[in-house]
Each structure stands twice: as structure tokens, then as C-alpha cells.
Amino acid sequence: MKTIVLLFGGRSGEHEVSLISAASILRNLDRTAYKPILVGISKTGEWFLQEDGPEITRDPPEMGGLEIDTCGRRVYVSPGAGLLVDNPKGGVDELPCDVVFPVLHGTFGEDGSVQGLLECACLPYVGAGILGSAVGMDKHVTKELLLANGLPVVDSILVRSREMDSSQFIHSLARRVEGRFGWPCFVKPACSGSSVGTSKVGDVEALASALEKAFLFDEKVLVEEYIQAREIECAVLGNEEPRAFSPGEIIPSHEFYDYEAKYKDPNGATLRVPAPLSPEQTEAFRDLAVKAYKILSLEGMARVDFFLERRTGKMFLNEVNTIPGFTPISMYPMLCKEGGIPYPELIDALIDLALERFDRRSGITYSYE
């Protein structure tokens, strides 16, 4: 039996989403094959062991999330020595762990931070490595790499926080928007997920407040062209030979697929799995998803999001998510299930991929002599 450490919570605007995803994974974990150990990360970044109990480890609420007990014993990452946990009598003990499953959406979890810690601790973990996580989190870097490799992306203008010091900057930016792609447009943090900090902007008057909101979450912001399009998502699974599943479609009932529509409004969106597409479109999306996955050095899993322009039928790659939502209504596990891999088997596959990568990389030499 393998011991699986679930990391959840974290310093992120998607903290609450992580709690729901972790509960869903826990419900679907095969207890005959895995022993779960829960480590909750507070909003201030402290790691706490969630002590075993049936209400925590065996029967989380059907649609609810786990809670983080910040009175529990602290957990530490020890370089070269795995995970340690406080001993009530003093000192620390080794925390058993065969694989870490980071269920951490957004900053300090999906951006390479935790992945770097786990690499230093010599622990296998589910999902993309340091590079793929960092690149996938940064929408600006993602776009630049995809563009350099000939993949279609939505046009955007990069804005840095230091540029906001100029009183004339907003009007100058507005002129660039009008000359490049016009209104409306989207304003979004470069490194954030679940549409946190994102606004749809219709004119110059709304631009300043949208930028101010976005800069709360990152130092880089994208002002992005608005495209009247269908929202298509594709699940990808694998390491060196990834597999893309048939895509699904999101039809939001809100003005756009924002945080409220994704997680708070039960009627915020309709999910079509699989998406009503032609066979040619389906294969084109799958092909683009795998190409992007390889270009961005992704491993384990990713959800690749697209726009399908209504007027022209042109496909645009929007972004990638290296730790996609795992809630009961999240698109990634739904697409995998439609493709023949139900939730419990998906967890098995992700753990196997983590161990395969760890074993493969264990042969790398880091010392010259």
C-alpha cells in the first residue's frame, strides 16, 4: 500500500477551490491501494498535519470541501530528507510518503514553488515539474512560447505595474487597445487562475479600475482581445507521450466564465461533454493540445483551454492549467471519464506517472566527481 500525501489549501486566491478538489480526490481514492495523509496549507503558507479521523479521511461532504485545522502538528519540507512533522514530545519525526499529490490551484502551488520544494526533498509528486509549472502559470510566457512555435493565441498587450506610475499611461494604453483590437477587451493578471482578478472592460473609463484590480494579484497584467467564441477545453494526460481526450465545451450563463460562474453559482455554466464539434475540429483541438503540452514542458496532466471563434471557426489557444480543478463538476475529470478513465483510475494513472518520472530522473547525475 502506498502512502499518498495530499497537499491542499495554500496561499492563493483559489484556496477554497483547492479544499473542494482535495475532498473530491479523497472520496475517489482507492483505500485498498493507498493510505492518505492530509496536509493542509493555511492562507499564510503554514503546513499542518490533518490528524486521521473518519470525518476527514473517509466521508467528506459530497459537494463541500475539507477544512484546515491550524492547531495540528506542523509539517516541514526537509531538503534531501522528505517531509518531517512535529513530535508532541519534542523534536520532529519523519512523515511517511511515497508520493505527494499537490491539490494546489494558483500561486504557491501551481507555479513551480511547491514543485521546487519537493524536488529538493527528493520526493515524487503528481503533475508538471518546476519548469512546466512556472511556464504554465504565466500566461504571458505561455503565449510567447506558443507564438514562437506557430500556435495560434489571442492577441494581448503586456502591462507591468511600474508603468502605472505615469498619469498619462491609461490614456496611452487605451489608444493602443483601440488601434490594435478595440473594445471590449479583457484585463487579467498574468499569473492567476480561475479568472481571479479578471474583468471585461468596455471603455477607457473602466480600464483603470480593471488594471488596479488585476494588479492586486500579480505584477504583470494582460490586456487581451475579446473574441466572440465558444469556450472549448481539452484534457491531456501523460509524461513523454501524452494523450489528449475529446474536448468539452463550457457555455457560461454569466457575461463570461468568471469565478462566480465556476464555483459559486450552481447555474453559472452548462458543460457539454463531449463538445458538439465535427470530427475534424475534435482532432484539431486534440492535436493542438498535445503540441502545446510538449512545447511548455508539461507532465502528468493539464487542461488546455481554447476559443473557437464563432464568425470564422478559427481556433485560439487561451491558456493551460497544470493542476486543473478536481471538484465533482470540474471539466478535467469529466473529460477523462468520457475518454474511458473514471475518476479513481485517473488518480491511479496520475500517481503512476509521478513515480515513472521520479524513477526516470533518478538516473541523472548531479555530481561531477
Side-chain angles (χ1 to χ4, degrees), residues 275-295:
L277 299 165
S278 70
E280 293 77 16
Q281 288 174 317
T282 295
E283 286 310 304
F285 276 120
R286 292 177 65 182
D287 182 61
L288 281 173
V290 169
K291 286 181 178 178
Y293 195 88
K294 291 182 176 180
I295 288 167

Side-chain angles (χ1 to χ4, degrees), residues 37-291:
I37 292 180
L38 307 187
V39 176
I41 304 178
S42 72
K43 289 187 176 182
T44 56
E46 298 162 294
W47 296 29
F48 296 95
L49 180 65
Q50 308 300 293
E51 304 292 351
D52 288 345
E55 73 284 357
I56 293 177
T57 61
R58 291 196 174 273
D59 191 26
E62 184 59 33
M63 287 296 293
L66 301 178
E67 296 182 359
I68 296 178
D69 179 8
T70 57
C71 296
R73 292 185 285 162
R74 291 177 182 267
V75 174
Y76 311 94
V77 180
S78 178
L83 299 176
L84 304 177
V85 61
D86 279 336
N87 185 314
K89 298 180 180 179
V92 293
D93 297 323
E94 180 182 350
L95 187 67
C97 174
D98 292 309
V99 183
V100 177
F101 197 137
V103 195
L104 300 166
H105 309 307
T107 50
F108 300 106
E110 199 173 352
D111 58 3
S113 301
V114 162
Q115 289 75 16
L117 280 173
L118 298 176
E119 291 279 357
C120 290
C122 302
L123 288 170
Y125 56 91
V126 168
I130 300 170
L131 176 61
S133 297
V135 167
M137 185 69 183
D138 191 314
K139 298 178 181 65
H140 170 241
V141 174
T142 291
K143 283 178 181 285
E144 292 297 311
L145 286 172
L146 295 178
L147 274 173
N149 285 273
L151 271 65
V153 300
V154 180
D155 194 16
S156 63
I157 299 170
L158 175 67
V159 183
R160 298 183 184 274
S161 57
R162 63 175 180 270
E163 297 178 276
M164 296 291 288
D165 293 340
S166 169
S167 60
Q168 300 300 315
F169 177 75
I170 296 296
H171 292 288
S172 173
L173 177 60
R175 288 193 294 271
R176 290 176 65 192
V177 169
E178 290 164 358
R180 191 151 165 178
F181 41 72
W183 311 101
C185 63
F186 280 101
V187 175
K188 58 179 67 172
C191 296
S192 182
S194 294
S195 300
V196 172
T198 298
S199 303
K200 186 177 179 180
V201 176
D203 51 43
V204 63
E205 285 73 22
L207 184 59
S209 59
L211 286 167
E212 184 178 350
K213 175 183 175 181
F215 278 124
L216 291 173
F217 298 96
D218 194 19
E219 294 183 330
K220 295 195 304 183
V221 165
L222 292 179
V223 180
E224 192 172 82
E225 180 181 7
Y226 167 72
I227 296 176
Q228 289 189 332
R230 296 166 63 186
E231 297 193 34
I232 307 296
E233 299 188 345
C234 197
V236 183
L237 177 71
N239 288 340
E240 295 177 303
E241 297 296 330
R243 169 190 176 188
F245 297 86
S246 293
E249 181 175 7
I250 294 171
I251 305 173
S253 59
H254 294 213
E255 187 173 13
F256 67 97
Y257 196 40
D258 59 4
Y259 187 93
E260 296 289 324
K262 289 174 180 176
Y263 304 115
K264 293 194 173 182
D265 182 355
N267 301 308
T270 299
L271 306 182
R272 291 183 178 178
V273 178
L277 299 165
S278 70
E280 293 77 16
Q281 288 174 317
T282 295
E283 286 310 304
F285 276 120
R286 292 177 65 182
D287 182 61
L288 281 173
V290 169
K291 286 181 178 178

